[in-house]
Structure formats: C-alpha cells, structure tokens
Amino acid sequence: EDQVTQSPEALRLQEGESSSLNCSYTVSGLRGLFWYRQDPGKGPEFLFTLYSAGEEKEKERLKATLTKKESFLHITAPKPEDSATYLCAVSFGGAQKLVFGQGTRLTINP
Amino acid sequence: DGGITQSPKYLFRKEGQNVTLSCEQNLNHDAMYWYRQDPGQGLRLIYYSQIVNDFQKGDIAEGYSVSREKKESFPLTVTSAQKNPTAFYLCASKFRLDGGELFFGEGSRLTVL
C-alpha cells in the first residue's frame, strides 16, 4: 500500500535547539517529494521540492534532504516563529498521484 | 498579487442544507484541486480538474460536487448527502497536472450545526 508517514507527530524544542523531522514513504515510481509549512487556520505554504535521492534544498534555517525511502527536514537554531505544522507530500506513478503525510506539529519555546 | 482566494473563510450550515465554497485563482494555472483536512489526518483529495469543463473524482468524492466553467474558478458544493461535512477545506492549483508543486488557498472552515 502506498503510504507516507511523518514522525514525530509533535515536537517541542527550545529556541536554538536543532532537530530533524522525518517523512518516510513506500510508493512506486517517486516523481517528487514536497515539504509545506502550515500555520493554524491557514493553507499550507510551499517550502521545497526534492526529486531524487541525494538531493538537498535549503531555505534560511531549514534544510530538506532525500533518500530512497525517506526525507528529513532539518531545522537549525530554530526561532519561535518557526512553530507550525510541517507537511510532506509524495507524488508518484504515471497518474501523478499525490499523498500527504499527517504532519508534524513543531513548537519552539523562547 | 497572484494567488488563490477562497471564500467564505468560515461557514455554518444546518443539516440538510447544501453549501458552496468558492475558489478563484489568478495564477493562470491549468490544474485545480479540492482537499479536505481533518485533525490528525493527512489532506484527502475530493476532486480535481485539469482543464475547463473537465474534472475527476478524488479519494473522497461522495457527497461533493464541483464545476469548472472558467479556468480561474473551481467551486465546491458540499451536499446534504455528505455524512460528516464539518472540516477544513483547501483549494489548490498548479501550473499543469503532470508536474510542479501545489499552491494552496487560505482555506474555508465549514461547521454543520
């Protein structure tokens, strides 16, 4: 079964405490992996697209990496404004099916 | 500014009533989508449209209907046949069906009283 699983469900960090969020997937024919940030009551905001194993993308304190089975979103020296739910989504197959993980709720305490 | 506009942001409905959620985009995107988001679950696809006058059912289309009469607009009707309609609804679009990332609107929260 095609699945996308994010872990942990929730993560609470102190400001400046670096960590990583995980997105593991079991799909056939990966076309792309997407990371989004979602604030409460808002629509998801696009962060990164990764297409092949070994690829990395960076934006401010965030860095996304991709292997053949999972992706990591590394957050370095986070600030309270980085608090949000982070979603990953995987596009796969000939029909460009897109499956979302359930998200990781990140809280950064000052 | 280019973007996706959803309205209303909040909507209350009595059981047995149909409601229509609006989605308009000025990004010149061909493909448009409707997702439903429930607490603790990933986004689930309701309907999508690749071009005007064409749309396809997603994973949870029962109790919903859509139309695509204009490239810019993709309204979603939540009918009385939808058993559990209270949810956060997200409209999204992308340049074309077979590539690129989705861009989302701000969402509409529907509550059935």
Side-chain angles (χ1 to χ4, degrees):
Chain A
E1 182 186 353
D2 301 314
Q3 275 195 316
V4 179
T5 304
Q6 291 188 245
S7 61
E9 288 188 16
L11 180 63
R12 190 177 292 270
L13 301 172
Q14 290 298 122
E15 184 173 1
E17 181 184 1
S18 301
S19 189
S20 298
L21 313 182
N22 179 262
C23 173
S24 63
Y25 59 92
T26 54
V27 303
S28 299
L30 177 73
R31 302 291 293 269
L33 186 142
F34 307 89
W35 281 99
Y36 290 85
R37 169 193 170 123
Q38 186 175 24
D39 293 305
K42 300 286 184 68
E45 174 190 347
F46 170 74
L47 293 173
F48 303 110
T49 308
L50 302 167
Y51 291 106
S52 57
E55 189 174 0
E56 299 182 353
K57 295 271 182 76
E58 284 190 68
K59 180 180 180 181
E60 296 181 356
R61 295 177 292 281
L62 298 176
K63 179 180 176 180
T65 62
L66 181 65
T67 73
K68 289 186 177 180
K69 294 184 178 181
E70 59 191 348
S71 176
F72 291 94
L73 185 65
H74 307 277
I75 182 161
T76 303
K79 299 181 178 181
E81 52 262 41
D82 295 320
S83 298
T85 295
Y86 290 85
L87 305 173
C88 78
V90 174
S91 173
F92 61 96
Q96 285 279 310
K97 189 173 173 64
L98 187 68
V99 175
F100 282 83
Q102 78 278 23
T104 293
R105 188 172 66 255
L106 177 65
T107 304
I108 309 299
N109 294 317
Chain B
D1 288 334
I4 301 172
T5 302
Q6 290 186 239
S7 63
K9 187 168 179 63
Y10 299 97
L11 186 61
F12 298 89
R13 184 193 97 175
K14 292 182 180 180
E15 283 192 21
Q17 289 180 335
N18 293 352
V19 294
T20 298
L21 308 180
S22 170
C23 177
E24 303 278 333
Q25 57 98 358
N26 60 3
L27 300 168
N28 198 34
H29 285 174
D30 285 331
M32 297 188 72
Y33 303 76
W34 275 104
Y35 285 90
R36 170 179 173 141
Q37 187 174 35
D38 295 285
Q41 295 192 39
L43 275 66
R44 292 182 291 167
L45 181 64
I46 305 173
Y47 267 98
Y48 66 98
S49 169
Q50 185 175 0
I51 56 173
V52 173
N53 292 324
D54 180 69
F55 47 82
Q56 306 295 327
K57 292 182 178 180
D59 299 319
I60 56 165
E62 185 176 351
Y64 300 97
S65 66
V66 293
S67 63
R68 186 87 185 275
E69 297 177 2
K70 299 187 301 181
K71 184 176 183 177
E72 302 80 19
S73 179
F74 192 40
L76 173 73
T77 297
V78 184
T79 75
S80 57
Q82 169 50 232
K83 300 301 181 189
N84 185 21
T86 295
F88 189 53
Y89 290 89
L90 288 160
C91 179
S93 71
K94 63 177 179 175
F95 185 62
R96 63 180 191 275
L97 188 69
D98 62 347
E101 57 272 4
L102 282 177
F103 292 90
F104 286 87
E106 289 292 276
S108 293
R109 183 167 300 281
L110 172 63
T111 302
V112 174
L113 304 173

